[in-house]
Amino acid sequence: MNTVIRVENLGKKYLISHQRSERYVALRDVITEGTKKIVKRMVRPGSALSQTKEEFWALRNVDFEIKEGDRVGIIGRNGAGKTTILKLLSRITEPSEGRIVIKGRIASLLEVGTGFHPELTGRENIFLNGAILGMSKSEIKRKFDEIVDFAEVEKFLDTPVKRYSSGMYVRLAFAVASHLEPEILIVDEVLAVGDAKFQKKSLDKMEDVSREGRTVLFVSHNMPAIESLCSRGILLDEGNVILDTDVNTVVRSYLEKAMTDYKKIDLERRVDRHGSGKIRVIGFRVLNDDNNEVKFLQSGKNYCFEIRYKNNAKKILKNVEVSFDIYDEKNSRVLLFRTNFTNDNLDLDSSDGKICCKVNNLPLANGIYHFSVFIVYEELEVLDYITEIAYITVDGGDFFGTGSLGLPSHCKVLHKAEWYAE
Ligand SMILES: Nc1ncnc2c1ncn2[C@@H]1O[C@H](COP(=O)(O)OP(=O)(O)OP(=O)(O)O)[C@@H](O)[C@H]1O
Ligand SMILES: [Mg+2]
């Protein structure tokens, strides 16, 4: 097979300022304001920001080769460098070091449908993009109806795309990129944007494209989608490629990486905790309905969060309040279960024992979560308070019973509503 993309010693360095506490915010700014403007603003002599700028490698020492027809999933945590790679391949930004050789026409769909001109109408943008991909007018015309149909924007064809809602924009951008027969299709996280129906439709379309033997590079946090679309995976971590092999191995390794810290923690010996110590949390497991320990949870299933404790008081402690809290990747507390909310305070045995916090129909979207436990006696004596007792991954499931995963990038808690119009 022919090599269509070769990347050698690729690196991308950004200037960041310490006043921006979150790098992620800087990225969003860049998308809306443009890289050059931001860099200029940051290095303007005499400006407050110029005092605190610092070099930051978003990507470094990256080497890989992509062959014609490869379907590659690029995965990694937030900020790992995935979008940066795609931007470099799409020539939206320049490498700081290394080189990229590409054979073939690339259509890329990055976070905001970067290939569109905001002042031009939907119709004009379709033709413009086709022309950029080297297609003739008649070739584009042949595809035109299909694109409009897929994007569901017929009524707005002659409206400048800057007036489109973000959903319309993404639908059209995806339709254009996937229908105009590029040799290489690059898609970044598009599935997180549209509604559930469109997500499904775009996944199906991606499958068609990859079945036609075209080269596809796909970034997503949706592991089942990555596994079904791609044959090869590249795992990025802090700007480096740490694994490049078959997709299933890469996905497994990515999901398990979050677990390794969990396995390393010996709860009994941890000292970063509070409380009198009459009760000590010494172990934690998650059990499914068959009472088997599980590492990966699914939305909508039932689980027992089992907390093992040691009773150092050596007598039965009655009416103990236990709190079990769940935090997401960004450390926001998304669920809080507490025995006294439901008049379920517990009597803890004089020897060692287990507490089960049973959660049915798990209302968590895909993601990585961690837990804390807080145990209080007689409403005032903290017996034990310990955070980050474990990390687990929620991956897939069917909370709504419709196949929709919700929108994990937007909201971590799932709940059903009744809808009606009057
Ligand atoms: N223009 C920029 N200026 C400064 N820092 C940037 C810029 N663009 C990206 N970064 C930083 O580079 C790192 C890699 O960003 P990138 O967008 O490639 O991550 P990602 O893997 O796509 O993450 P996500 O999963 O959140 O989309 C991040 O730390 C990000 O904040
Ligand atoms: Mg990204």
Side-chain angles (χ1 to χ4, degrees), residues 62-127:
V62 170
D63 292 274
F64 57 79
E65 248 185 52
I66 303 223
K67 306 263 188 218
E68 197 178 333
D70 274 358
R71 289 170 289 132
V72 185
I74 300 178
I75 63 182
R77 307 193 65 152
N78 295 127
K82 304 178 296 295
T83 300
T84 304
I85 285 199
L86 299 191
K87 280 186 180 165
L88 289 166
L89 294 177
S90 317
R91 310 264 186 228
I92 292 167
T93 48
E94 288 289 310
S96 311
E97 62 181 26
R99 62 187 211 125
I100 302 172
V101 184
I102 296 177
K103 277 193 232 143
R105 300 176 314 214
I106 291 195
S108 57
L109 182 55
L110 303 191
E111 279 162 320
V112 228
T114 349
F116 279 3
H117 195 299
E119 302 292 339
L120 300 181
T121 65
R123 183 192 306 279
E124 289 163 339
N125 267 300
I126 295 177
F127 279 93

Side-chain angles (χ1 to χ4, degrees), residues 24 27-28 31 77-84 86 111 188-189 219 221:
Y24 202 62
L27 165 66
R28 296 286 169 235
I31 290 166
R77 307 193 65 152
N78 295 127
K82 304 178 296 295
T83 300
T84 304
L86 299 191
E111 279 162 320
D188 190 1
E189 211 54 276
V219 165
H221 288 277

Side-chain angles (χ1 to χ4, degrees), residues 86 89-90 102 104-110 115 129-130 132-133 135 173-188 214-217:
L86 299 191
L89 294 177
S90 317
I102 296 177
R105 300 176 314 214
I106 291 195
S108 57
L109 182 55
L110 303 191
N129 271 268
I132 292 170
L133 284 174
M135 295 173 73
F174 182 82
V176 165
S178 58
H179 285 77
L180 284 181
E181 307 195 338
E183 283 150 334
I184 304 166
L185 177 62
I186 292 186
V187 177
D188 190 1
R214 275 182 280 154
T215 311
V216 177
L217 269 74

Side-chain angles (χ1 to χ4, degrees), residues 311-365:
N311 185 336
N312 294 314
K314 302 292 173 208
K315 58 169 191 179
I316 295 182
L317 297 175
K318 286 193 184 288
N319 196 27
V320 172
E321 188 181 312
V322 181
S323 188
F324 177 70
D325 303 2
I326 304 186
Y327 300 77
D328 70 8
E329 281 145 270
K330 299 197 179 95
N331 225 13
S332 305
R333 194 178 335 222
V334 289
L335 286 175
L336 191 162
F337 302 102
R338 189 168 289 187
T339 52
N340 64 332
F341 293 168
T342 47
N343 296 328
D344 282 323
N345 282 358
L346 301 168
D347 296 342
L348 300 187
D349 209 293
S350 57
S351 56
D352 304 349
K354 293 172 190 166
I355 299 164
C356 169
C357 173
K358 181 82 194 290
V359 178
N360 292 331
N361 197 18
L362 183 75
L364 291 177

Side-chain angles (χ1 to χ4, degrees), residues 34 51 72 137 198 225 262 278 313 320 350 365 382:
Q51 321 292 314
V72 185
K137 240 190 166 126
F198 189 75
Y262 160 37
K278 285 184 192 155
V320 172
S350 57
V382 177

